Each structure stands twice: as C-alpha cells, then as structure tokens.
Amino acid sequence: MLRPFFSAACAIALLAGLPEAARAVAVNGNGTAQNVPYVIGFHPLHSSQTPYLGQMHLNFNHGIVSGTYTDMSIRPGSPFANAHNIPVSGGLSGSQITLNIRQITFRGTLTGEKMSGSATIRGSIYTFAAQQGTPGSGKH
C-alpha cells in the first residue's frame, strides 16, 4: 500500500533542493499566476516502476488552469512519449485541481508547492506527484 506513495515521495525528494525562487507559491492573493513551472512524475498504482516524468508550465487565472506539458521520460512507453508543449487545461477549486493533458485527466490536490492525485491511463489507475520547479537546476 505504501509503495506508490514511496515512489512518488522519492520523485519529489529529488526535487526538494530546488532554489527558493522556483518554489514560490503558485497562486498569488488575487487568484492569478503565470508560467509556474512544475515537474510531474506518474506511475501505475501499486507499482515500484520508475515514474514517467514531465515538465509543466501552468497559468492560474481565478480557478482556470492552462499551460503546456513536455515529456521528459527516459522510461519507454510514456503516454506522452517525446511530446513537447502539449496543451494543458483544467481547473482549481480550493485545493482541488484537475489537469487535462490530451485525453488524460489528472485529479488531485494542490497544497502549497505540491500536487498529488491520480489519473486513469489505458484502463489503469496511476498516481502522480508534482513539485514546483524545473529540472536541471543543478540542485536536485
């Protein structure tokens, strides 16, 4: 039961050393934020597989989420294999977030700089975790 959470936690732990500027609060007091970077990892529920990874740049505008996703997975078989700048749409209500990337809907919670939740991909449940920031900062 803890295995999927452990894998997601490991992915986030790799990102914990990001510079403070990259980890600013996503949505400011007026409900908007532009081009907020997130690194996201996702894998099948109850799996210890290396997660698929991607970079998102999200815009928040009074509950409406938009942006782009770029695949960074080294593991073959990603549902977004080698795709760049895929449109992301969705919504944010309180701490509940929904992200639509192609035909896949990620549903979860946004707490501070982190997101977590699940999605159904190819008939299987996947868990995801995302952390504000960018890969390659040299500190992860």
Side-chain angles (χ1 to χ4, degrees):
M1 171 108 177
L2 294 176
R3 192 176 260 179
F5 296 108
F6 178 73
S7 295
C10 287
I12 287 178
L14 290 172
L15 304 169
L18 292 172
E20 286 301 314
R23 298 191 313 163
V25 174
V27 182
N28 62 29
N30 68 6
T32 64
Q34 297 294 308
N35 203 36
V36 181
Y38 284 89
V39 176
I40 183 171
F42 55 99
H43 60 82
L45 183 65
H46 304 301
S47 169
S48 60
Q49 295 176 348
T50 301
Y52 297 118
L53 295 175
Q55 173 75 57
M56 298 185 294
H57 286 88
L58 301 178
N59 303 305
F60 298 87
N61 186 5
H62 303 285
I64 298 170
V65 180
S66 62
T68 60
Y69 174 94
T70 296
D71 182 63
M72 300 183 330
S73 296
I74 57 171
R75 183 175 148 225
S78 170
F80 310 116
N82 301 313
H84 295 275
N85 298 317
I86 302 170
V88 176
S89 63
L92 178 64
S93 178
S95 65
Q96 300 301 304
I97 190 160
T98 302
L99 301 172
N100 300 303
I101 305 172
R102 287 193 176 152
Q103 299 87 5
I104 299 172
T105 302
F106 293 84
R107 289 184 174 87
T109 57
L110 172 63
T111 306
E113 303 162 351
K114 299 177 183 179
M115 292 181 211
S116 62
S118 64
T120 300
I121 302 172
R122 300 178 191 130
S124 297
I125 297 173
Y126 280 62
T127 58
F128 78 90
Q131 170 74 46
Q132 274 189 34
T134 59
S137 65
K139 294 191 171 199
H140 61 277

